[in-house]
């Protein structure tokens, strides 16, 4: 049980100077980004249902705060764009024999990061117009409709990553890593866990164009409902929470891995 929390010590196993690893902050940022997208949709829907005077909350704040959402999308987008771009172009994890992780984590984080930066820029430039529109949800859906093509394509890529993770049993942590490394002899466990996460995020992405179409096809005075919207919201909420918690845990497990192998 002791090694479950500490991992196996193997000094000199990994040259960390040649393999910078930062998918910890990437995981937290991805999870927070997925949750932010879901919450932003809910706020847009709620703002559209408010009366013309604009509903109020405690402190006199408007229901829709585009400045706040621009900030979170900008912060998370910057983190994922910088780390994803570096990982995509330099392949830092190849030095340790994990070249495939550069594709899995680097390219997907880069794509999500750029999308969030685009959202932040739009809200910064057009936030006032969005708040003033009688149907902010419809305006946002019309704006994001062309991007939904790329989002759906990313969903297919996530399906491919999930399949590769299952077939080749990727993602397994070495025994030198605390907690996760306890399952090193059973790689199918972490391979299934991570592949399922990628597949669920991909499911939401593939359904995203259908969700946008549903919003645009619903009259303004009718509540927006639909299977694509519900499923996307559920799977992105679940995976967002899991990515945040898993990434936070990895700050401990990766530090332990570094200590055990440096």
């Amino acid at each position: 049980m002791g090694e479950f929390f500490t991992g196996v010590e193997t000094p000199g196993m990994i040259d960390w100077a040649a393999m910078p690893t930062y998918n910890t902050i990437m995981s937290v940022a991805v999870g927070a980004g997925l949750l932010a997208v879901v919450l932003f949709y809910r706020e847009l829907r709620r703002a559209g249902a408010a009366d013309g005077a604009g509903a109020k909350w405690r402190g006199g704040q408007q229901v829709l705060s585009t400045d706040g959402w621009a900030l979170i999308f900008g912060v998370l987008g910057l983190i994922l764009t910088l780390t994803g771009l570096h990982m995509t172009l330099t392949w830092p994890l190849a030095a340790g024999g994990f070249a495939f992780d550069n594709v899995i984590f680097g390219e997907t984080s880069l794509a999500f990061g750029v999308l969030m930066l685009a959202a932040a820029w739009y809200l910064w430039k057009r936030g006032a117009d969005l708040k003033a529109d009688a149907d902010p949800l419809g305006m946002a859906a019309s704006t994001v409709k062309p991007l939904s093509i790329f989002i759906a394509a990313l969903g297919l890529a996530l399906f491919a990553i999930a399949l590769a993770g299952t077939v080749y049993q990727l993602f397994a942590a070495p025994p030198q890593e605390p907690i996760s490394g306890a399952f090193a002899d059973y790689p199918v466990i972490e391979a299934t866990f991570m592949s399922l996460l990628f597949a669920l995020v991909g499911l939401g992405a593939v359904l995203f164009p259908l969700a946008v179409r549903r919003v645009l096809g619903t009259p303004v005075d009718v509540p927006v409902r639909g299977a694509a919207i519900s499923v996307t919201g559920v799977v992105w909420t679940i995976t967002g929470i899991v990515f945040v918690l898993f990434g936070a845990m990895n700050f401990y497990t990766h530090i332990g891995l570094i200590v055990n192998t440096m």
Side-chain angles (χ1 to χ4, degrees):
M1 181 59 70
E3 290 184 349
F4 178 83
F5 291 105
T6 61
V8 178
E9 294 187 17
T10 311
M13 175 181 172
I14 299 176
D15 180 12
W16 290 104
M19 194 179 77
T21 304
Y22 36 78
N23 50 4
T24 42
I25 189 63
M26 294 167 88
S27 177
V28 171
V30 165
L34 290 170
L35 292 174
V37 171
V38 174
L39 294 175
F40 182 54
Y41 164 77
R42 292 179 180 176
E43 192 159 309
L44 284 171
R45 184 180 61 184
R46 190 165 52 218
D51 57 29
K56 299 285 186 178
W57 276 8
R58 295 181 181 89
Q61 295 295 317
Q62 295 289 340
V63 169
L64 181 59
S65 173
T66 54
D67 290 342
W69 292 111
L71 284 173
I72 189 169
F73 287 136
V75 169
L76 298 176
L78 182 62
I79 291 172
L80 290 175
T81 298
L82 291 179
T83 55
L85 182 63
H86 180 264
M87 186 174 286
T88 298
L89 296 180
T90 66
W91 277 39
L93 301 179
F98 303 101
F100 49 84
D101 279 343
N102 296 292
V103 176
I104 293 172
F105 298 115
E107 295 186 25
T108 54
S109 294
L110 173 61
F112 192 24
V114 172
L115 286 172
M116 284 198 288
L117 283 181
W121 182 84
Y122 173 78
L123 291 174
W124 175 59
K125 297 288 290 185
R126 299 293 303 278
D129 296 334
L130 189 64
K131 287 193 290 186
D133 196 272
D135 179 24
L137 179 59
M139 180 179 176
S142 296
T143 302
V144 80
K145 183 179 178 180
L147 270 177
S148 66
I149 301 171
F150 179 53
I151 293 172
L154 288 175
L156 296 178
L158 292 174
F159 285 161
I161 289 173
L163 180 61
T166 302
V167 172
Y168 297 106
Q169 294 192 1
L170 308 178
F171 308 114
Q176 289 75 20
E177 181 174 340
I179 303 178
S180 302
F183 306 99
D185 292 333
Y186 310 97
V188 67
I189 294 178
E190 193 158 7
T192 302
F193 169 71
M194 290 299 299
S195 295
L196 181 61
L197 276 182
F198 277 97
L200 288 176
V201 177
L203 176 61
V206 168
L207 292 177
F208 189 80
L210 299 179
V212 170
R213 181 179 179 182
R214 183 64 177 178
V215 170
L216 295 176
T218 302
V220 176
D221 56 347
V222 177
V224 178
R225 296 187 178 92
I229 296 173
S230 298
V231 172
T232 298
V234 169
V235 296
W236 281 0
T237 298
I238 294 173
T239 54
I241 293 172
V242 173
F243 268 118
V244 167
L245 295 178
F246 190 66
M249 183 191 75
N250 280 345
F251 275 95
Y252 171 77
T253 63
H254 283 198
I255 289 172
L257 175 64
I258 293 170
V259 171
N260 286 334
T261 58
M262 63 182 183

